[in-house]
Amino acid sequence: MSYCLNSESHLDTGPIYVRENGKLHMVNQGAGGVHNVTPKTRPFSLFSRSFSVELCMNREDDRARRQRTDHFIFTYTKEGNLRYSAKSLFSLVLGYISDNVDHIDSLIGFPEQIAEKLFSAAEARQKFTEPVTGLRALQKFTEAYGGLVLCSLCLRNRYLVISEKLEEIKSFRELTCLDLSCCKLGDEHELLEHLTKEALSSVKRLLLKDNSLSDAGLRRMTAPVRVLKKGLENLLVLDLSCNPKITDVGIGYLLSFKKLNCLDISGAGLKDVDAVIKRLQTQIGLVHSKVPLKEFDHSNCKTEGWAEQTVLQWEQAVMEAMKPQDNLRSRVATLHFYGKTHRIKEVVKCTLVEPETKASGNLQFYKENVQNCHLPLKKEVAGSHELKNNKKRALSEQERERTSKQKHLCLTVEDWDLLNTY
């Protein structure tokens, strides 16, 4: 066996191995001899030293990596150089708690200023749009802060949001304004039953226009107020227009709302309109308005509170789910092949003026002694009503005493069965 070593070379070629008689020997360059030593082979590497591999086994690893990068704020200087600075400890803790907001036990007694920032941080991460954890997290805020989370809720013509997020909507407390117009809920809807609960006893403005309500629905809605003095006892403005199934009998249930200042029953199925107008005026002091009232202008009702953006996120999620998918074209083609017509689902829109409203006319009522409740009227009309009210005050007091003694006789078997459910 022969080999050649270049001793003048300054390059470190490493150890040299030769195979002789089936055995591997290492050549010692300094001594020039051959040693029969079993070498320690160097590990074989496929990649260079600068190559790195990152394994993401699940989504939690990706989330942890994103949190590490969120610890810094990256900005650019005037010279165009990238500059980063560490975030404050408060913002880091706030981000961590908002990521795990569904694990909070309670927020009762927690400062409102910090709770609002925590809610905004969780809202930015869309934690309240998640199916199960979102509801649990939202309930922690509504239990502790009530009306600060949401004081006014407008769900006009958003029946899909109600069906998808019903439990989340029921978690709101201390609402003062609720707009459910044009949702076609009906008498048996779960949300209408929730209106009679103590959590929504603070509602002062309730808009139920075009909801397919009837006398049975009004009886259920007013039962706690008529008997237990609970429920919607603080109601000031009520809109029941465009509900043709409401008759003269249903209007009688509304007489339990003693604090009611404005009422709209345009488009109801009334048989004797003059008798209803006289009855509302003598028993609860509501006067028929000849001009439209500004209280029933739906532009005044808006969603207000911490959860304003949350409601918009719910609506966007519903609209995204309604977008047509790619495989719908093949389904339509199959239907045409078999001679079947494709069923088009149109979104139900609420018209501003219903045919029933035009037929019955404007049936909006207000109280004269309440300021800023109606549009300005003529002085002659206002003066004539004041004389009539002075004569009717004595009669109304006598009627109240007489009806208070007969309250226990006005309950039917259906009313008692309904009250037993509360």
Side-chain angles (χ1 to χ4, degrees):
M1 183 192 72
S2 63
Y3 56 89
C4 179
L5 298 176
N6 187 8
S7 62
E8 297 180 357
S9 176
H10 297 283
L11 298 176
D12 185 13
T13 59
I16 300 175
Y17 300 92
V18 296
R19 183 176 294 276
E20 183 178 3
N21 297 328
K23 294 183 179 180
L24 189 64
H25 302 274
M26 182 179 66
V27 178
N28 190 357
Q29 296 183 10
V34 179
H35 300 276
N36 187 7
V37 180
T38 302
K40 296 182 179 180
T41 60
R42 298 171 61 185
F44 180 75
S45 60
L46 294 175
F47 307 100
S48 61
R49 295 181 179 180
S50 61
F51 187 84
S52 62
V53 178
E54 181 180 1
L55 297 178
C56 297
M57 301 301 296
N58 49 29
R59 295 182 61 184
E60 294 181 357
D61 296 337
D62 188 24
R63 182 182 301 176
R65 181 177 59 82
R66 186 176 67 254
Q67 289 179 354
R68 288 195 299 269
T69 58
D70 289 344
H71 294 176
F72 302 95
I73 302 176
F74 296 92
T75 57
Y76 284 95
T77 60
K78 295 181 179 179
E79 293 78 9
N81 300 325
L82 183 63
R83 179 182 179 182
Y84 67 92
S85 59
K87 291 184 178 180
S88 62
L89 180 61
F90 175 79
S91 60
L92 295 178
V93 174
L94 191 68
Y96 177 79
I97 297 177
S98 61
D99 286 331
N100 303 275
V101 67
D102 55 301
H103 298 290
I104 296 178
D105 292 333
S106 177
L107 289 172
I108 298 177
F110 203 67
E112 298 175 358
Q113 296 80 1
I114 301 178
E116 184 178 1
K117 294 181 180 180
L118 178 60
F119 189 92
S120 300
E123 189 179 51
R125 290 166 170 79
Q126 296 187 356
K127 302 297 292 185
F128 302 114
T129 58
E130 299 177 0
V132 180
T133 59
L135 173 60
R136 186 164 59 246
L138 186 61
Q139 288 176 345
K140 301 300 179 182
F141 284 94
T142 55
E143 291 174 357
Y145 305 103
L148 292 177
V149 179
L150 210 64
C151 62
S152 178
L153 178 59
C154 180
L155 295 175
R156 186 170 186 263
N157 202 18
R158 292 176 175 85
Y159 55 94
L160 292 178
V161 178
I162 295 176
S163 61
E164 292 293 331
K165 298 294 180 180
L166 179 60
E167 296 299 327
E168 286 81 352
I169 295 172
K170 291 170 60 177
S171 66
F172 292 123
R173 300 184 178 185
E174 300 180 8
L175 290 173
T176 58
C177 181
L178 181 59
D179 189 354
L180 299 175
S181 302
C182 309
C183 291
K184 306 289 184 180
L185 299 180
D187 297 330
E188 302 296 333
H189 199 275
E190 188 177 352
L191 185 56
L192 291 180
E193 183 180 355
H194 182 67
L195 292 176
T196 61
K197 303 298 182 181
E198 187 178 357
L200 294 181
S201 60
S202 59
V203 174
K204 297 181 179 180
R205 185 181 182 188
L206 181 60
L207 306 179
L208 296 174
K209 176 182 179 180
D210 193 12
N211 269 285
S212 303
L213 298 178
S214 64
D215 297 339
L218 295 184
R219 183 178 62 84
R220 292 171 58 89
M221 189 173 63
T222 58
V225 182
R226 290 186 286 117
V227 182
L228 303 177
K229 300 299 180 183
K230 295 181 180 179
L232 299 171
E233 56 181 353
N234 297 317
L235 194 61
L236 299 178
V237 179
L238 179 60
D239 186 2
L240 294 173
S241 60
C242 301
N243 289 290
K245 295 182 180 180
I246 296 178
T247 62
D248 303 33
V249 179
I251 301 300
Y253 297 126
L254 303 179
L255 302 178
S256 58
F257 295 136
K258 302 300 181 181
K259 298 182 180 180
L260 197 62
N261 293 331
C262 297
L263 175 65
D264 188 1
I265 54 175
S266 304
L270 303 179
K271 297 181 180 179
D272 193 349
V273 178
D274 296 334
V276 171
I277 294 175
K278 185 177 180 180
R279 189 178 182 185
L280 291 174
Q281 185 173 359
T282 55
Q283 296 195 19
I284 57 177
L286 291 179
V287 181
H288 182 219
S289 176
K290 297 182 180 180
V291 294
L293 302 179
K294 62 181 180 181
E295 275 68 23
F296 302 109
D297 185 8
H298 294 270
S299 61
N300 297 329
C301 183
K302 299 178 181 179
T303 301
E304 297 178 356
W306 296 353
E308 180 179 352
Q309 296 297 324
T310 302
V311 178
L312 293 178
Q313 291 176 359
W314 294 345
E315 186 176 358
Q316 291 176 359
V318 172
M319 296 303 294
E320 289 291 334
M322 290 179 58
K323 288 185 177 180
Q325 302 177 359
D326 297 334
N327 56 354
L328 290 181
R329 296 181 179 178
S330 59
R331 295 180 183 178
V332 175
T334 305
L335 293 175
H336 285 299
F337 178 78
Y338 288 103
K340 297 181 180 180
T341 58
H342 179 61
R343 184 178 179 181
I344 301 176
K345 296 183 179 180
E346 298 181 354
V347 179
V348 180
K349 296 183 179 180
C350 177
T351 56
L352 296 178
V353 180
E354 298 290 338
E356 294 85 358
T357 306
K358 295 181 179 180
S360 61
N362 183 27
L363 290 178
Q364 295 181 354
F365 301 85
Y366 68 96
K367 280 187 180 179
E368 289 182 330
N369 54 355
V370 179
Q371 296 180 356
N372 297 327
C373 183
H374 55 85
L375 293 177
L377 301 177
K378 295 182 179 180
K379 295 182 179 180
E380 297 178 356
V381 178
S384 61
H385 289 310
E386 290 179 359
L387 296 176
K388 293 181 181 179
N389 287 333
N390 293 330
K391 296 180 181 179
K392 293 173 182 177
R393 284 176 183 174
L395 295 175
S396 61
E397 293 178 357
Q398 295 177 359
E399 290 178 358
R400 289 177 184 176
E401 295 178 357
R402 182 167 53 91
T403 54
S404 61
K405 297 179 181 179
Q406 298 178 353
K407 281 183 178 179
H408 63 281
L409 300 176
C410 298
L411 297 179
T412 61
V413 178
E414 296 178 353
D415 289 335
W416 285 113
D417 294 339
L418 180 60
L419 292 174
N420 290 330
T421 60
Y422 292 96

